[in-house]
Amino acid sequence: MRVGIIAILQESNTFINGVTTLAHFEQDLLAEGAAVADRLRGSHHETAGFFAELDASGIEAVPIFAARAYPYATVADDAFQHLMARLTACLNQAGPLDGVLVAPHGATVSAKVPDFDGHWLNLVREHVGPKIPIIGTLDLHGNVSPQMGQACDALIGYRTNPHLDQYQRGLDAARMMVRTLRGEIRPTMACQFPPLGINIERQACAEMPCKAMYQLADDMLKQPGVLSNTLMLGFPYADVAEMGASLMVVTDNNPELARKLSRELAQAWWNRRHDFIGQLIPTEAALDQAEKLLGPICLLDMGDNAGGGSPADGTEIIHALYRRKLGPAFASLYDPEAVQQALAAGVGSTVKLTVGGKTDDQHGAPLTATFRVLGDFDGKFEETQPRHGGFTKFDQGRTALVESEGLTLMLTSRRMVPFSIRQLTAFGVDPAKFRYLVAKGVHAPVAAYRPVSQHLIRVDTSGVTCADMTKLAFHHRRRPMFPFEMDTQWTPE
């Protein structure tokens, strides 16, 4: 038995004025054949789970193609064409396959093909034919399309946010593949697409209201014949027709049961739709609240959510902390220009810098102050624990550590998502020394920052990942759709 492994992942924020290029993939992951296994075996990623389970079952894993880029803007058409050509060539070289394990993100968008994931999954289906099983994993932030569901025998989404279960979901998908190839089961899947936008602030799986829905989903798994179910929370920063919630139920050779249970789960979700409207706290109110709490306090900058593709140079919270003389405080900013200026001045020197707010005019104005240069680092660090995204190696480029009047800033030459507290500790920064820790995200930083914080506050800042979806200029989303159209009516199919 030979099972192919393919992974193409990128979260595309279509509200960013820019494009994701091939260089963005080359900077993170772009590999063929054996190089796929070299990069991903032993990681926390779902593909590592693919390899581990196939190896344990005595089935040959055939690494085919893997591409991944950090969350950013829509994928440029030339990058899309290049990736599809590489995928096709790698499939042609892979030889006969008995099954294919796939790892799409679910929220990748290209300039001319909005349903990027549906396109490449259908390409794989056309290559292997209708009888070869295709089973895959999905980031729970995927915007699932009917085409994606039709191309695959089963799709299994993450169940945690921050995403700490990617490896386990990879094991689940591979085990389902193994049992399918052995003739023990025959996966049959049903999907539902309620016109429901889930506010990003409400997307913590272990917290209410998500927790109640996942409890329902877990209870359903106990029923005979149910192989898997998935609640997809969606990615609200993609202006595509598929944007929003979706769900899948996979049964053992029982399509009618899959349809019945998917309708039940979808109706339960729809009945709770008002619970998923965001509860938003503006910056000044968040700081008023934080002043009354014991530190350290992690302030989650939702409008500059680097894990959702934002520029990671937003200054709204930083300005407020500096103006109100609240500290000691720490934040990281993407600002290669300021890095060069600080390091040119030299460690130990004092220099006037204008930092942050340079990518666009949506994330606050630059902050100008006199800083003391504390450190000069290469920006490379590693994470040994499972963390959001399954990443283990990081490179934020040349990095400068600077301080001004109780505000310590880590200035980076590359955008860095705060997945790991090693971003601080690898460079001698002790989070316990700060009362306020600013993390540019909503849920992705939680696994890293909860252990070092007494409290976490999600702050409603402005930007391309602003939590209030109604402020975003959608042109392609479904209409009517809750909560944009509050009187939306819907019944599961």
Side-chain angles (χ1 to χ4, degrees), residues 251-317:
T251 57
D252 180 11
N253 197 25
N254 194 336
E256 183 51 45
L257 179 62
R259 285 191 291 269
K260 174 180 178 293
L261 295 180
S262 71
R263 288 192 295 266
E264 291 178 4
L265 198 56
Q267 187 64 62
W269 205 353
W270 183 251
N271 292 344
R272 292 167 169 80
R273 63 191 179 277
H274 289 274
D275 296 340
F276 290 87
I277 297 173
Q279 298 180 9
L280 308 180
I281 307 173
T283 298
E284 296 298 335
L287 293 183
D288 290 343
Q289 179 180 331
E291 281 193 277
K292 302 172 184 177
L293 301 172
L294 292 175
I297 301 154
C298 180
L299 301 169
L300 293 157
D301 189 348
M302 296 198 293
D304 191 21
N305 173 9
S310 72
D313 73 344
T315 59
E316 189 172 324
I317 296 177

Side-chain angles (χ1 to χ4, degrees), residues 153 179-180 183-189 227 250-255:
D153 295 85
R179 295 186 66 198
T180 300
E184 298 173 4
I185 58 171
R186 181 172 176 265
T188 48
M189 181 170 67
L227 301 177
V250 182
T251 57
D252 180 11
N253 197 25
N254 194 336

Side-chain angles (χ1 to χ4, degrees), residues 7-24:
I8 305 178
L9 307 102
Q10 196 260 348
E11 194 171 65
S12 305
N13 186 324
T14 66
F15 296 100
I16 293 173
N17 184 23
V19 292
T20 296
T21 66
L22 187 64
H24 288 99

Side-chain angles (χ1 to χ4, degrees), residues 23-38:
H24 288 99
F25 288 92
E26 292 172 336
Q27 198 172 83
D28 181 19
L29 174 64
L30 191 58
E32 301 177 3
V36 175
D38 292 341

Side-chain angles (χ1 to χ4, degrees), residues 22-352:
L22 187 64
H24 288 99
F25 288 92
E26 292 172 336
Q27 198 172 83
D28 181 19
L29 174 64
L30 191 58
E32 301 177 3
V36 175
D38 292 341
R39 286 292 306 275
L40 294 171
R41 277 186 192 272
S43 70
H44 309 307
H45 198 261
E46 53 261 54
T47 48
F50 294 169
F51 284 112
E53 183 61 28
L54 293 177
D55 291 346
S57 301
I59 292 177
E60 181 184 355
V62 183
I64 295 175
F65 183 64
R68 182 181 64 185
Y70 276 107
Y72 188 49
T74 301
V75 177
D77 185 59
D78 58 347
F80 166 77
Q81 297 294 345
H82 180 92
L83 292 172
M84 294 304 99
R86 292 271 291 267
L87 172 60
T88 300
C90 291
L91 279 168
N92 289 334
Q93 295 168 8
L97 299 170
D98 298 288
V100 185
L101 287 166
V102 294
H105 179 283
T108 311
V109 180
S110 70
K112 294 184 179 179
V113 182
D115 188 8
F116 182 110
D117 294 301
H119 179 90
W120 79 259
L121 290 172
N122 192 61
L123 188 154
V124 175
R125 172 56 71 196
E126 290 179 351
H127 178 85
V128 300
K131 295 183 179 180
I132 300 298
I134 300 176
I135 298 174
T137 54
L138 285 168
D139 188 307
L140 61 77
H141 291 110
N143 295 317
V144 178
S145 69
Q147 186 178 19
M148 293 168 62
Q150 292 161 9
C152 299
D153 295 85
L155 289 167
I156 301 172
Y158 309 160
R159 295 178 98 84
T160 63
N161 189 26
H163 308 325
L164 306 181
D165 64 333
Q166 292 173 251
Y167 180 81
Q168 182 60 50
R169 298 292 79 80
L171 290 175
D172 291 346
R175 285 169 184 162
M176 190 180 291
M177 176 64 74
V178 171
R179 295 186 66 198
T180 300
L181 294 179
R182 289 174 176 171
E184 298 173 4
I185 58 171
R186 181 172 176 265
T188 48
M189 181 170 67
C191 306
Q192 293 286 338
F193 306 95
L196 173 61
I198 306 295
N199 189 283
I200 196 72
E201 188 269 339
R202 301 275 85 187
Q203 292 192 11
C205 297
E207 302 172 16
M208 298 296 284
C210 278
K211 183 177 180 180
M213 283 305 305
Y214 278 95
Q215 287 173 340
L216 286 175
D218 288 344
D219 289 341
M220 184 178 288
L221 293 176
K222 301 173 186 176
Q223 297 188 34
V226 179
L227 301 177
S228 174
N229 60 25
T230 292
L231 296 168
M232 296 291 290
L233 302 180
F235 184 60
Y237 306 114
D239 186 12
V240 294
E242 297 79 28
M243 190 279 289
S246 59
L247 63 90
M248 294 84 76
V249 175
V250 182
T251 57
D252 180 11
N253 197 25
N254 194 336
E256 183 51 45
L257 179 62
R259 285 191 291 269
K260 174 180 178 293
L261 295 180
S262 71
R263 288 192 295 266
E264 291 178 4
L265 198 56
Q267 187 64 62
W269 205 353
W270 183 251
N271 292 344
R272 292 167 169 80
R273 63 191 179 277
H274 289 274
D275 296 340
F276 290 87
I277 297 173
Q279 298 180 9
L280 308 180
I281 307 173
T283 298
E284 296 298 335
L287 293 183
D288 290 343
Q289 179 180 331
E291 281 193 277
K292 302 172 184 177
L293 301 172
L294 292 175
I297 301 154
C298 180
L299 301 169
L300 293 157
D301 189 348
M302 296 198 293
D304 191 21
N305 173 9
S310 72
D313 73 344
T315 59
E316 189 172 324
I317 296 177
I318 293 167
H319 268 293
L321 288 167
Y322 198 71
R323 183 180 63 254
R324 293 171 61 156
K325 299 186 184 303
L326 298 179
F330 172 89
S332 176
L333 286 178
Y334 164 65
D335 194 332
E337 178 185 39
V339 170
Q340 290 184 357
Q341 293 170 349
L343 297 184
V347 175
S349 65
T350 299
V351 60
K352 186 176 182 180

